[in-house]
Each structure stands twice: as structure tokens, then as C-alpha cells.
């Protein structure tokens, strides 16, 4: 307060600067801070326009051209889209990716749900939570290489252990029937602690008195789980699934450093196929068309999940 | 309140149904599952360390040993470029020159620049969205949020073309630029916190003659130190671990980050006898800074997943 009364006294009362300041102050209360606001959002908005909006438009445009990076794009209409319908490798890529997503999400959700409930009902230990989260903090590439070594056919510890127990060795990356399940389980390993913590956060919103009441009524842990936890967790679980499924479709890093799409086409997932088309064969137009399709698939999957699981509504009222 | 009499009832009516033995059996099964998960989670980290401290040539003969095979620091010396070619080959290295010091430096530069820029500019935008009133604010914010739904691949290909046209391939700037100014998530994350800061504090400062920018720097940012540093931490980790984008625009040795270097190192190892010890030493070097960060700030990261939900 002291400064405001002081400053007009030291300056001529009619001087413009104080009056300007007062008027801008007044406007900030009554309505618009347009000028400062524009300055504040300018950097982020430039980033948004240049690296999100503009490329989204350009990407859609490329998908209708024969763009090859080195020459200018020519409009070819829906040719790329007709081509991808007939391209067996595209169908293979989506099939393989779907297989990956089903194994990855299925195993991950069940294990994470189990871990989350155990964290909730068994222990509050920060150490345990911290340890379970560790794999998620390490780069995909690091995780992929660590398992690539542990699953090595000859001297990888997993195969050595299988051998000592008397089970036949498995060519985890070399056998086309095993490659996708292997990569899916590696990423379950990386994500299970993280997903468990997301679900755990949801569990903490369930009022504890519900469990106490149920226990006093003679309900066991298992029954409480199905009658209380699952229904009340549904919205959280739905959101977790939307996030993890969308992420799962974008599998790339693990494939890129281990199998590079092989054996034959067994792990040539959509992301990797797009990557190869664009950067080994420079078919940017065609690669863009596939990424448009992937975007549409992801959007519909997310939409369907939200509808089916009624993610927005809670049973807790 | 209606619960209480019923509950009391249940206790008096069925006191014998306290299944102590069954619960403790269930409990021990639960603990078994938890400990098993912990073992599965932590064992690969130990195995990376055990292998990195081994001599590659000795790995095959003692593949089942839980301790390093023929203990040596040679693998670390090799990938950090401290060993001579002869020494490297003697321990099963390929002899190709690798310099993970350089890649470590590149990763530090890229992750630090991205984090500082992104967090600062997103904080500015979040402040305008949370605290200032101006026409078009809600529409622009909605547009930002919509961009959360766009899968990266959709914008990655055109962004690559843009960076190439700007002549920024194989430069730090090219790697950093797309994430330097904003990500929709960061804006969204910080806005949620800025909304909760009491207006009175700001208004008092403005009566004292502080401009909007000074209020932002001296009041808003310090008051949000916890969420801002949490976001910085998450941004740093994400940037450090990113592989796809730097693989596209930063393959050149001078700007190569750790993840890209690892991929190249792996593809260069001879198919028949990979340099496993070297590879594991390199992966540990790539993982270590994050794990050290985690050792100090783990609680904050773990808690952030509770409230941020998505990242």
C-alpha cells in the first residue's frame, strides 16, 4: 500500500505513466488482459502451430501425394489409400500390432491390477512402489537390450535356467511364433509397475469405510474385490486402458533394436513399417497414408473404449 | 450412520466367522506374489550389472554363474573409449571406436535444453490460461488439449521434412526444437496447479506496481515450485529416453544421444559373438543418470503418478 500512495506524491500528478498503470490495473479486474496474455502464450502457441497443427495438415496432404522427400510432391488422389488396401504387408503390420496389443494389454492389466490391489490392501511401503516403478524410468532401448541379452538362445540366463530345469531352449526372438509374445512381455515388464501405480491412485479414491463395513458384514477379501473394488474402479480402469492401449499400438523402440521386423515379417509392426517406408524407401506419401489410417484406428479404438466402459461416469455417488 | 448398527449386529451374530487361518494363507500368497514381482522387476538390473562387470570371452563358459564372469572393468573402459583396440578385442569387444562420454554429453545437452525450454514456456502459457482473461482463451486451450490425442507418428514425418528443409538435420537444435516450446500435456499439467493459487496474493503484488511478468516470475513460479519441479523431472526423463525422433534427425556421431548410440552399437556387434559385456556396460551408462535422479527424487516421481495420472 505504501508504494502506491508514495509514487503519485513524488511525481507530478498529471504525468502519464502512473495513469497508464492505473488504467491497465483496472482493466485486469474488469475484463481483458489481452496484451500480456498474448505475450505469455506466444512461445507455446508458435510451438503448437509449427510442430502440431501445421504437420498434421501437411501429413494429411502428403497422404494424397507421391512425395518422395527428394522431389516435390505431386497430387495423386486416393492412390495411396487404394494401394494400402491391397498391400499385404499393411494387413500383416496391423495384424501383428493387434496381436502385440492384445497380449501386452491383457497381461499387463491383470498383473497391474493385482499389484495395485496388493499395494492397497497389503502395504504402504514407498520402497516397494519405488522399486516396481524402476523399469518404467529406463529407456525402451535399454530395456530391450537387457532382455535381448537375458533371452539369448545360447548363453542368456533365461535359456540357461530353462535348460537346467529340463525344458527345451526357446529362440525367443528368432522363432516367428515367439517373437511378438516375447516383445509384448518385455514391455509388460517395463510398464506393469507404472500401470499398477495409476490403478493404485484410483483405488485410493474408494472410501475405506466401504471395506470396513463389508468386512464387518462378513465379506472376505475376494468378495470385496468383486463387489466393491471392481465396480468403483471402473472409470479409472477405463481411462488407464485408453492410455495404455493407445500407447501400446505405437510399439517401435523394442522392435527396432531387437528383431528389426523379423524373422521374415513376424514383428513388422505398423510403426516400424511406416518407419521403413519413409526412411529406407523414401515413400513419404505412402507412409503418410498409413499413419493417417493408424490415427483413425487409434481414435476409433479410444472412442469405443470410452463408450463401452462408460469412462466418464462413476458409480460412486 | 445406518451402517454402524448393522455392523455391530454382524459381529455379535457371527463371531465364529473370523477366518484367521484363511486370511493368513491368503496373505502369504499375496506376499508371495508381491515378492515374486519385485524379484522379476529387479533381477534384470542386477543381471545388467553382473554382465557389465564380466569379461565377454568368459561369459559363455560361466553362463549360469550369478557372479561376474572373470571380473573386470574392461567393458566400461571399452565403451567409454578408454581402452586400446587390442585390449578391447582381447576382452571380446569389436574393436570399433565407441565413445559413450560423447553420447552422454549429447544426451545431457538435449534433455536439459528441452526441459528448461519446455517447462518455462509451458508455465508462461499455463499462467495465461489459468489467470488472465482474454477473448479466445478457452478455444485455444481446447485446441491444445485436442492435440493430446494426435499420435506422434502423424506429426513426426512432416516434422522431419520441416527440420530437413530448415537445414537442421544432425544439429542439437533439430533434435530439441519440436519439444522446446510446448507439449500439450505440460501446459495442461501446470494450468491445473496455477488455477489453485489464491488470486489475492497476485492482486496485492500488482497494487504494489509489479507487472504481469514480474508477478509470474517472483510469485507464481516460486509458489508452484513442487509441481513445476515434478514436471521438469518427468520431462527430463521422457526426453532422456526418447529414441524415435533423435534416430530420425540426429544420427551423426557429433550429436548422437545415448539411446540412438545404443541402437547403433547393438547393430554393429558381430552376429556370431556379440560383445555382451560392452553392450550391458553401455546400457547401464544410459540408464544410470536416471536411476541416480530416481534414488534422490523417487518419492516425488512416485507421488506425481498419483495426481498427474497421465504421462
Amino acid at each position: 500500500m505504501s508504494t502506491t500512495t508514495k509514487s503519485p506524491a513524488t511525481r507530478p500528478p498529471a504525468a502519464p505513466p502512473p495513469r497508464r498503470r492505473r488504467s491497465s490495473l483496472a482493466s485486469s479486474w474488469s475484463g481483458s488482459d489481452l496484451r500480456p496474455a498474448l505475450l505469455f502464450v506466444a512461445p507455446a502457441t508458435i510451438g503448437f502451430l509449427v510442430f502440431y497443427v501445421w504437420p498434421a495438415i501437411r501429413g494429411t496432404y502428403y497422404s494424397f501425394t507421391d512425395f518422395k522427400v527428394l522431389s516435390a510432391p505431386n497430387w495423386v488422389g486416393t492412390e495411396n489409400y487404394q494401394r494400402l488396401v491391397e498391400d499385404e504387408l499393411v494387413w500383416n503390420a496391423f495384424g501383428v500390432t493387434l496381436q502385440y496389443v492384445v497380449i501386452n494389454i491383457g497381461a499387463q492389466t491383470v498383473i497391474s491390477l493385482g499389484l495395485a490391489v496388493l499395494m492397497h490392501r497389503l502395504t504402504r511401503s514407498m520402497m516397494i512402489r519405488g522399486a516396481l516403478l524402476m523399469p518404467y524410468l529406463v529407456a525402451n532401448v535399454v530395456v530391450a537390450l537387457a532382455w535381448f541379452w537375458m533371452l539369448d538362445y545360447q548363453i542368456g540366463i533365461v535359456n540357461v535356467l530353462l535348460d537346467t530345469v529340463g525344458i527345451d531352449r526357446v529362440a525367443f526372438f528368432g522363432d516367428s511364433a515367439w517373437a511378438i509374445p516375447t516383445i509384448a512381455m518385455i514391455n509388460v515388464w517395463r510398464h506393469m509397475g507404472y500401470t499398477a501405480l495409476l490403478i493404485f491412485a484410483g483405488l485410493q479414491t474408494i472410501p475405506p469405510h466401504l471395506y470396513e463395513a463389508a468386512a464387518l458384514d462378513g465379506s472376505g477379501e475376494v468378495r470385496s474385490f468383486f463387489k466393491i473394488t471392481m465396480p468403483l474402479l471402473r472409470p479409472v480402469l477405463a481411462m488407464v486402458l485408453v492410455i495404455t492401449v493407445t500407447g501400446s499400438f505405437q510399439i517401435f523402440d523394442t522392435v527396432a533394436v531387437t528383431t528389426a521386423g523379423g524373422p521374415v515379417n513376424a514383428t513388422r509392426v505398423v510403426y516400424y513399417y511406416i518407419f521403413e517406408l519413409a526412411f529406407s524407401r523414401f515413400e513419404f506419401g505412402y507412409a503418410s497414408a498409413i499413419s493417417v489410417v493408424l490415427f483413425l484406428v487409434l481414435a476409433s479404438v479410444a472412442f469405443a473404449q470410452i463408450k463401452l466402459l462408460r469412462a466418464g461416469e462413476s458409480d460412486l455417488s | 450412520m445406518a451402517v454402524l448398527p448393522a455392523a455391530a449386529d454382524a459381529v455379535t451374530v457371527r463371531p465364529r466367522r473370523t477366518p484367521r487361518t484363511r486370511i493368513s494363507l491368503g496373505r502369504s500368497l499375496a506376499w508371495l506374489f508381491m515378492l515374486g514381482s519385485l524379484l522379476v522387476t529387479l533381477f534384470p538390473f542386477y543381471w545388467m550389472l553382473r554382465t557389465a562387470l564380466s569379461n565377454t570371452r568368459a561369459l559363455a563358459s560361466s553362463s549360469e554363474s550369478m557372479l561376474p564372469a572373470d571380473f573386470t572393468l574392461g567393458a566400461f573402459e571399452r565403451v567409454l573409449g578408454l581402452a586400446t583396440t587390442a585390449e578391447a578385442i582381447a576382452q571380446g569387444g569389436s574393436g570399433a571406436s565407441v565413445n559413450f562420454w560423447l553420447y552422454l554429453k549429447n544426451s545431457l545437452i538435449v534433455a536439459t535444453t528441452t526441459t528448461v525450454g519446455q517447462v518455462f514456456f509451458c508455465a508462461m502459457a499455463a499462467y495465461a490460461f489459468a489467470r488472465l482473461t482474454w477473448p479466445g482463451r478457452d478455444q485455444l486451450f481446447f485446441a491444445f488439449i485436442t492435440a493430446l490425442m494426435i499420435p506422434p507418428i502423424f506429426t513426426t514425418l512432416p516434422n522431419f521434412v520441416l527440420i530437413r528443409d530448415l537445414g537442421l538435420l544432425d544439429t542439437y537444435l533439430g533434435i530439441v526444437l519440436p519439444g522446446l516450446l510446448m507439449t500439450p500435456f505440460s501446459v495442461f499439467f501446470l494450468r491445473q496447479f496455477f488455477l489453485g493459487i489464491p488470486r489475492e496474493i497476485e492482486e496485492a503484488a500488482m497494487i504494489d506496481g509489479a507487472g504481469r511478468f514480474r508477478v509470474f516470475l517472483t510469485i507464481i513460479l516460486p509458489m508452484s515450485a513442487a509441481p513445476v519441479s515434478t514436471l521438469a523431472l518427468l520431462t527430463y526423463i521422457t526426453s532422456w529416453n526418447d529414441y524415435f525422433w533423435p534416430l530420425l534427425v540426429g544420427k551423426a556421431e557429433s550429436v548422437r544421444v545415448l539411446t540412438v548410440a545404443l541402437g547403433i552399437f547393438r547393430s554393429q556387434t558381430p552376429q556370431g559373438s556379440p560383445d555382451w559385456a560392452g553392450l550391458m556396460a553401455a546400457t547401464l551408462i544410459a540408464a544410470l543418470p536416471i536411476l541416480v535422479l530416481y534414488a534422490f527424487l523417487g518419492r516425488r516421481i512416485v507421488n506425481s503418478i498419483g495426481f498427474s495420472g497421465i504421462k
Side-chain angles (χ1 to χ4, degrees):
Chain A
M1 253 348 226
S2 60
T3 37
T4 37
T5 46
K6 216 181 194 171
S7 70
T10 51
R11 285 176 205 183
R19 202 201 282 162
R20 253 235 310 277
R21 184 185 294 149
R22 198 185 306 138
S23 71
S24 83
L25 255 181
S27 75
S28 75
W29 265 280
S30 61
S32 180
D33 314 297
L34 186 59
R35 247 190 341 152
L38 286 183
L39 285 175
F40 272 107
V41 294
T45 309
I46 292 170
F48 177 64
L49 292 175
V50 176
F51 294 107
Y52 286 86
V53 178
W54 178 234
I57 296 168
R58 280 233 285 192
T60 316
Y61 164 68
Y62 288 154
S63 76
F64 294 101
T65 70
D66 64 353
F67 192 36
K68 294 250 198 290
V69 189
L70 297 172
S71 55
N74 296 309
W75 184 266
V76 293
T78 57
E79 201 178 276
N80 288 326
Y81 291 94
Q82 286 163 342
R83 179 178 158 197
L84 76 82
V85 174
E86 285 157 20
D87 184 349
E88 275 179 31
L89 280 176
V90 168
W91 289 100
N92 172 70
F94 274 97
V96 168
T97 309
L98 191 66
Q99 197 192 340
Y100 168 85
V101 171
V102 169
I103 299 173
N104 177 241
I105 295 298
Q108 180 177 301
T109 309
V110 172
I111 295 174
S112 303
L113 188 60
L115 283 175
V117 170
L118 291 187
M119 280 192 243
H120 188 57
R121 307 293 292 155
L122 219 53
T123 170
R124 303 266 128 170
S125 162
M126 205 64 182
M127 283 294 279
I128 290 183
R129 272 188 270 164
L132 288 173
L133 189 63
M134 243 166 81
Y136 181 74
L137 299 171
V138 178
N140 273 319
V141 178
V142 167
V143 170
L145 286 177
W147 282 98
F148 192 61
W149 154 233
M150 290 176 45
L151 298 174
D152 181 71
Y153 188 78
Q154 294 295 336
I155 54 171
I157 183 68
V158 175
N159 270 321
V160 169
L161 288 180
L162 286 181
D163 210 36
T164 23
V165 185
I167 302 172
D168 284 344
R169 286 167 186 258
V170 180
F172 287 101
F173 293 99
D175 183 334
S176 48
W178 275 97
I180 277 290
T182 301
I183 292 171
M185 290 314 285
I186 290 175
N187 285 323
V188 169
W189 179 79
R190 180 167 185 258
H191 288 266
M192 65 183 188
Y194 172 71
T195 314
L197 279 179
L198 284 183
I199 299 174
F200 176 75
L203 285 174
Q204 286 180 314
T205 63
I206 299 176
H209 68 78
L210 290 181
Y211 291 102
E212 287 153 21
L216 287 173
D217 279 347
S219 163
E221 286 283 342
V222 177
R223 203 166 146 209
S224 295
F225 174 77
F226 283 107
K227 295 287 177 191
I228 301 174
T229 309
M230 281 309 272
L232 293 181
L233 199 58
R234 204 205 58 235
V236 173
L237 215 49
M239 280 327 290
V240 168
L241 274 174
V242 171
I243 299 162
T244 52
V245 169
T246 316
S248 184
F249 265 99
Q250 300 177 31
I251 166 76
F252 173 82
D253 300 0
T254 319
V255 171
V257 296
T258 57
T259 61
V264 198
N265 290 317
T267 59
R268 189 158 273 111
V269 291
V270 181
Y271 244 67
Y272 197 76
Y273 189 47
I274 294 174
F275 167 76
E276 275 187 326
L277 282 171
F279 296 98
S280 311
R281 297 202 250 149
F282 302 108
E283 300 211 44
F284 256 63
Y286 187 45
S288 299
I290 302 178
S291 53
V292 169
V293 172
L294 178 63
F295 173 46
L296 294 177
V297 168
L298 285 180
S300 346
V301 169
F303 182 75
Q305 280 180 305
I306 290 171
K307 281 281 158 205
L308 285 175
L309 293 158
R310 292 174 293 134
E313 306 157 30
S314 170
D315 291 337
L316 192 66
S317 51
Chain B
M1 266 298 132
V3 176
L4 280 182
D9 230 25
V11 170
T12 48
V13 170
R14 308 180 267 182
R16 60 196 142 76
R17 250 185 69 79
T18 42
R20 182 163 294 157
T21 49
R22 208 190 63 197
I23 280 185
S24 68
L25 177 68
R27 281 206 148 230
S28 35
L29 279 178
W31 271 112
L32 209 64
F33 179 72
M34 180 65 98
L35 292 177
S37 305
L38 278 172
L39 184 71
V40 170
T41 300
L42 296 177
F43 180 76
F45 289 100
Y46 171 71
W47 206 244
M48 282 158 75
L49 183 66
R50 174 262 183 199
T51 310
L53 295 173
S54 299
N55 181 338
T56 295
R57 297 215 181 274
L59 278 174
S61 54
S62 50
S63 55
E64 72 295 319
S65 159
M66 284 293 133
L67 294 172
D70 187 11
F71 179 88
T72 169
L73 290 173
F76 284 100
E77 289 167 5
R78 189 150 76 236
V79 295
L80 291 173
L82 300 174
T84 64
T85 313
E87 283 170 349
I89 290 175
Q91 291 203 357
S94 68
S97 91
V98 274
N99 187 355
F100 272 78
W101 279 125
L102 175 65
Y103 313 141
L104 192 64
K105 188 193 85 182
N106 290 341
S107 274
L108 278 171
I109 292 175
V110 166
T112 309
T113 319
T114 306
T115 305
V116 171
Q118 190 184 114
V119 171
F120 185 72
F121 293 129
C122 288
M124 280 172 62
Y127 175 68
F129 284 125
R131 272 288 175 259
L132 306 180
T133 26
W134 41 287
R137 180 186 68 181
D138 297 343
Q139 288 83 345
L140 187 62
F141 184 67
F142 181 74
F144 274 33
I145 294 308
T146 314
L148 270 174
M149 315 286 278
I150 300 176
I153 190 83
F154 194 57
T155 49
T156 299
L157 298 186
N159 275 341
F160 169 80
V161 177
L162 178 69
I163 293 296
R164 195 201 53 140
D165 290 347
L166 291 172
L168 293 175
L169 286 186
D170 295 328
T171 63
Y172 290 125
L173 195 59
I175 302 176
V176 158
L177 211 47
L180 186 67
L181 296 175
M182 68 100 63
T183 62
F185 172 80
S186 299
V187 176
F188 176 74
F189 182 94
L190 288 177
R191 176 179 171 268
Q192 296 308 101
F193 289 99
F194 292 168
L195 283 174
I197 296 177
R199 266 178 198 281
E200 290 73 25
I201 299 171
E202 255 179 283
E203 285 167 2
M206 286 183 68
I207 288 169
D208 282 352
R212 280 291 185 190
F213 203 73
R214 236 182 89 197
V215 170
F216 172 70
L217 280 184
T218 57
I219 296 175
I220 300 289
L221 281 187
M223 282 190 72
S224 331
V228 166
S229 52
T230 301
L231 179 71
L233 209 55
L234 294 175
T235 310
Y236 200 87
I237 294 173
T238 312
S239 171
W240 185 272
N241 290 343
D242 195 16
Y243 177 60
F244 193 53
W245 178 251
L247 175 70
L248 302 184
V249 299
K251 257 189 155 173
E253 171 124 39
S254 58
V255 296
R256 195 180 290 165
V257 295
L258 282 166
T259 48
V260 178
L262 277 176
I264 291 174
F265 187 31
R266 135 95 178 100
S267 62
Q268 277 172 349
T269 62
Q271 279 304 316
S273 57
D275 175 12
W276 290 118
L279 206 54
M280 288 304 112
T283 55
L284 269 184
I285 291 169
L288 214 55
I290 296 295
L291 293 179
V292 168
L293 214 57
Y294 190 50
F296 286 105
L297 301 164
R299 186 173 290 269
R300 171 155 284 170
I301 300 179
V302 172
N303 284 332
S304 79
I305 286 166
F307 60 73
S308 76
I310 314 149
K311 176 74 187 187

